[in-house]
């Protein structure tokens, strides 16, 4: 009887499941995995500290397989400078995560959380409760220890202003606590990570090899990740873009180089450099006045190579044909599907970029197949659906199910502009499309 009931429950709308669970105890037990399998947590001061909420998480935690941790950038997450109340001078705050459990009252009263009692007193008086909740690492660890069946972790931190990229906010302290909690919890099934809407600085705070509170064995937990999807706020392309965030991104991707099988990356906003070939960018190798830290020693970046990569997709990037060719050649033994969406070449042509396919296959027959196999979507949208709303739907699809197409990128690039014109065109364009289609009207 279990299978028919599960099939029946799969057809019940998600918003009706809470009321359905109240029908009887058996329905409540069987509907719980469907209702709590995909859970979203919007972080607030009492999210992991309120006893009632933690008790509820302990009851349903074994059902959660996909967890979305959401913490948007708001005025409440902004951190002003820490000031001395007597002199008015700015106080230097060097953060060191406090991971010791505070259940023992004697230990909690004998050890200051933020290094010294004077600094702890300043932080308590000048920073909001949201900061102290974000920096409370033990509560994050207890929360993730209640999720033994977690398979997919999503992190969403949208709406950061470009002018705040070099300022640490409460969101960054929460990311540090979250990373430490994942590393110190038993999550044997965790294999997918999605940074749904993330700011560039997050690559530092989520990096287990160089982030705050990192340990020599911190990276082992992240070796479980097989599927990685990143949608990052764009760093606008220019001859000399700030290199700090790009180098942090390059270092972060190296963490997954030996284990990743599926990789999806998208710049949110304007076009940006390809994250797969940052070691070949001259702007990251030469000293220039456009760098945020011009005195920093510029060491050559190690090439990025994924040993087990099978599916790859990048979107909204600017790249050279030689960089695409080098990537395909370096991963020719493992990669099976790749897609370059909304990709612009600075130099060269797509025939030059995809030349390794000819050498690998021994002929140019792949070009013929690329011209024949092509997906052109036909969407009859409801009246009043605006372009930005449809774009939101596309972003949701990117976040939930990373796309990976056949190695027919030449056809996608040549047909991209025409498909978008038909997709977002005027009614006259649609009428012309329907008249030339195979449908009879």
């Amino acid at each position: 009887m279990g299978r028919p009931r599960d099939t029946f429950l799969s057809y019940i709308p998600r918003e009706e499941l809470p009321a359905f669970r109240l029908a009887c105890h058996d329905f409540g037990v069987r509907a719980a995995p469907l209702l709590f399998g995909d859970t979203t947590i919007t972080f607030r001061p009492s999210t992991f500290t309120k006893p009632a909420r933690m008790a509820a998480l302990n009851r349903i935690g074994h059902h959660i397989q996909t967890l979305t941790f959401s913490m948007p950038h708001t005025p409440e997450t902004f951190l002003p400078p820490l000031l001395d109340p007597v002199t008015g001078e700015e106080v230097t705050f060097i953060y060191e995560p406090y991971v010791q459990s505070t259940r023992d009252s004697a230990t909690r009263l004998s050890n200051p959380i933020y290094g010294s009692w004077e600094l702890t007193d300043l932080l308590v008086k000048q920073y909001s409760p949201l900061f102290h909740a974000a920096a409370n690492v033990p509560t994050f660890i207890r929360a993730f220890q209640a999720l033994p069946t977690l398979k997919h972790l999503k992190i969403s931190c949208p709406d950061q202003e470009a002018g705040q990229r070099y300022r640490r906010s409460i969101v960054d302290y929460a990311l540090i606590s979250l990373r430490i909690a994942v590393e110190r919890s038993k999550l044997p099934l965790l294999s997918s990570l999605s940074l749904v809407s993330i700011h560039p600085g997050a690559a530092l705070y989520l990096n287990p090899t160089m982030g705050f509170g990192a340990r020599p064995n911190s990276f082992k937990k992240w070796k479980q990740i097989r599927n990685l999807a990143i949608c990052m706020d764009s760093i606008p392309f220019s001859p000399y873009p700030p290199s700090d965030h790009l180098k942090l991104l390059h270092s972060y991707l190296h963490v997954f180089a030996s284990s990743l099988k599926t990789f999806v990356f998208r710049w949110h906003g304007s076009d940006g450099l390809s994250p797969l070939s940052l070691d070949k960018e001259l702007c990251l190798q030469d000293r220039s006045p456009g760098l945020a830290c011009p005195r920093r020693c510029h060491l050559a970046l190690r090439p990025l190579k994924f040993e087990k990569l099978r599916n790859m997709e990048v979107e909204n990037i600017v790249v050279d044909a030689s960089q695409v060719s080098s990537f395909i050649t370096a991963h020719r033994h493992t990669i099976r599907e790749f897609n370059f969406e909304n990709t612009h070449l600075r130099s060269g042509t797509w025939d030059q970029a995809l030349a390794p396919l000819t050498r690998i296959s021994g002929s140019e027959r792949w070009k013929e197949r690329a011209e024949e196999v092509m997906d052109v979507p036909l969407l009859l949208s409801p009246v009043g659906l605006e372009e930005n709303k449809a774009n939101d739907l596309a972003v949701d699809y990117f976040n939930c199910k990373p796309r990976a197409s056949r190695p027919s990128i030449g056809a996608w690039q040549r047909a991209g502009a025409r498909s978008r014109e038909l997709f977002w065109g005027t009614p006259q364009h649609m009428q012309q499309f329907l008249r030339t289609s195979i449908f009879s009207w």
Side-chain angles (χ1 to χ4, degrees):
M1 293 297 293
R3 184 172 299 175
R5 291 184 179 181
D6 294 338
T7 304
F8 169 74
L9 289 173
S10 65
Y11 285 93
I12 298 179
R14 182 181 176 86
E15 59 272 10
E16 296 181 6
L17 284 176
F20 183 80
R21 294 181 67 236
L22 301 178
C24 67
H25 178 268
D26 184 63
F27 281 170
V29 173
R30 294 187 179 277
L34 295 176
L35 181 60
F36 304 114
D38 189 345
T39 302
T40 299
I41 294 178
T42 301
F43 188 76
R44 295 184 177 87
S46 61
T47 299
F48 295 147
T49 57
K50 193 174 182 179
R53 292 187 177 182
M54 291 304 300
L57 184 61
N58 289 327
R59 290 195 301 269
I60 67 173
H62 62 282
H63 297 303
I64 298 177
Q65 298 184 0
T66 300
L67 176 67
T68 301
F69 180 87
S70 177
M71 190 176 182
H73 289 83
T74 62
E76 288 73 20
T77 61
F78 174 79
L79 287 177
L82 195 63
L83 302 178
D84 187 291
V86 178
T87 63
E89 297 180 354
E90 183 176 355
V91 178
T92 302
F93 174 37
I94 301 177
Y95 178 64
E96 182 67 25
Y98 185 83
V99 298
Q100 186 175 356
S101 176
T102 57
R103 292 181 179 180
D104 186 359
S105 58
T107 303
R108 183 174 66 251
L109 296 176
S110 60
N111 297 327
I113 298 178
Y114 302 110
S116 66
W117 290 112
E118 294 78 7
L119 185 58
T120 300
D121 183 66
L122 287 179
L123 291 170
V124 170
K125 292 180 178 179
Q126 298 186 26
Y127 282 176
S128 66
L130 183 61
F131 165 79
H132 301 286
N136 194 343
V137 180
T139 60
F140 278 77
I141 295 177
R142 288 197 294 269
F144 275 84
Q145 287 177 346
L147 311 174
T149 61
L150 182 64
K151 297 181 180 179
H152 188 182
L153 175 61
K154 297 182 181 181
I155 303 175
S156 177
C157 304
D159 303 330
Q160 186 191 48
E161 298 181 2
Q164 302 296 328
R165 287 185 175 176
Y166 287 95
R167 293 188 61 91
R168 194 177 301 161
S169 68
I170 297 179
V171 176
D172 299 322
Y173 288 95
L175 293 180
I176 296 172
S177 300
L178 185 146
R179 192 203 78 242
I180 296 176
V182 171
E183 295 167 359
R184 304 197 179 194
S185 302
K186 294 182 179 179
L187 304 173
L189 302 180
L190 181 63
S191 61
S192 299
L193 175 64
S194 296
L195 307 183
V196 178
S197 182
I198 208 75
H199 54 289
L204 169 62
Y205 306 110
L206 293 175
N207 194 326
T209 61
M210 58 187 300
F212 293 84
R215 299 188 300 180
N217 62 344
S218 295
F219 71 95
K220 291 184 178 180
K221 179 68 65 174
W222 303 102
K223 293 294 184 181
Q224 300 178 201
I225 301 298
R226 299 292 182 266
N227 309 300
L228 176 64
I230 301 178
C231 181
M232 181 174 287
D233 294 339
S234 64
I235 301 174
F237 170 73
S238 64
Y240 293 103
S243 65
D244 303 71
H245 290 138
L246 294 175
K247 288 185 176 181
L248 291 175
L249 174 61
H250 184 79
S251 176
Y252 180 65
L253 294 180
H254 264 288
V255 175
F256 309 97
S258 63
S259 60
L260 210 59
K261 294 184 178 180
T262 301
F263 177 60
V264 182
F265 186 91
R266 175 178 183 266
W267 287 113
H268 176 67
S270 58
D271 297 346
L273 297 175
S274 171
L276 303 174
S277 55
L278 293 176
D279 60 292
K280 297 180 175 61
E281 296 292 341
L282 295 179
C283 61
L284 301 184
Q285 301 174 4
D286 299 335
R287 186 187 303 271
S288 66
L291 298 176
C293 299
R295 296 183 179 180
R296 184 176 179 180
C297 180
H298 293 276
L299 301 177
L301 299 179
R302 293 184 301 162
L304 187 62
K305 182 178 180 180
F306 299 102
E307 300 176 3
K308 301 178 181 179
L309 186 65
R310 297 181 62 87
N311 305 312
M312 184 278 298
E313 178 178 340
V314 290
E315 183 175 352
N316 212 20
I317 67 171
V318 177
V319 69
D320 295 328
S322 59
Q323 295 175 350
V324 177
S325 177
S326 300
F327 174 82
I328 296 176
T329 302
H331 296 81
R332 64 186 183 277
H333 297 298
T334 59
I335 196 166
R336 295 294 179 268
E337 300 178 356
F338 60 88
N339 189 10
F340 293 86
E341 289 283 351
N342 194 26
T343 299
H344 305 284
L345 294 180
R346 289 179 299 187
S347 62
T349 64
W350 278 109
D351 288 336
Q352 296 173 347
L354 301 178
L357 296 180
T358 301
R359 295 193 295 268
I360 295 172
S361 62
S363 65
E364 296 187 353
R365 295 182 60 185
W366 65 270
K367 293 184 179 180
E368 301 175 0
R369 292 195 297 270
E371 293 290 341
E372 296 173 357
V373 181
M374 183 175 60
D375 299 329
V376 179
L378 172 61
L379 176 64
L380 300 179
S381 60
V383 178
L385 180 65
E386 300 176 357
E387 179 176 350
N388 58 350
K389 295 182 180 179
N391 282 333
D392 294 338
L393 296 176
V395 172
D396 291 340
Y397 176 74
F398 169 83
N399 296 332
C400 297
K401 185 179 180 181
R403 305 184 303 271
S405 66
R406 309 175 182 83
S408 56
I409 184 61
W412 273 105
Q413 281 298 132
R414 287 187 283 272
R418 180 59 178 166
S419 299
R420 286 192 294 271
E421 179 183 352
L422 292 173
F423 193 80
W424 298 120
T426 62
Q428 290 76 15
H429 288 154
M430 181 58 71
Q431 293 174 5
Q432 180 182 0
F433 175 78
L434 294 177
R435 283 198 301 268
T436 57
S437 67
I438 62 175
F439 300 100
S440 58
W441 297 87

